[in-house]
Amino acid sequence: NVWFYLTPIIYPLSVLPEPIKKFVQYGNPMTAFTDVYRDLILAGRVRDPATLLCAAIWTVAVFTIGLTFYRRLQVAFADVL
């Protein structure tokens, strides 16, 4: 539940104090995605390219980790499914 409230979906990131803002901005992978989508939907553009870069980095990292686990466990998938 804490992770949900640390994701700025119902509040803008700007209302947080600076130390907490940095932690949420760079430590929570969903923050970058919500900021990018909020900017695209409300403003029609991405205001901060660094946020888009952060979202892209999280995307590549999660994909790489998932692909690594899949390849490692691929032989056992038929038994599980």
Side-chain angles (χ1 to χ4, degrees):
N1 287 337
V2 174
W3 199 270
F4 172 77
Y5 291 108
L6 285 177
T7 304
I9 294 174
I10 57 173
Y11 61 89
L13 195 59
S14 59
V15 300
L16 296 176
E18 194 62 34
I20 296 174
K21 179 181 175 181
K22 292 292 182 188
F23 171 74
V24 170
Q25 187 173 14
Y26 296 112
N28 187 347
M30 290 308 297
T31 300
F33 292 106
T34 57
D35 277 352
V36 168
Y37 278 108
R38 182 182 288 128
D39 288 345
L40 287 173
I41 291 171
L42 297 178
R45 61 183 171 82
V46 177
R47 289 180 292 169
D48 186 17
T51 305
L52 185 60
L53 178 64
C54 185
I57 290 170
W58 274 110
T59 301
V60 170
V62 169
F63 175 76
T64 304
I65 291 168
L67 185 63
T68 302
F69 277 113
Y70 173 74
R71 286 188 177 161
R72 187 172 295 160
L73 301 173
Q74 184 176 0
V75 294
F77 266 79
D79 297 335
V80 175
L81 297 178

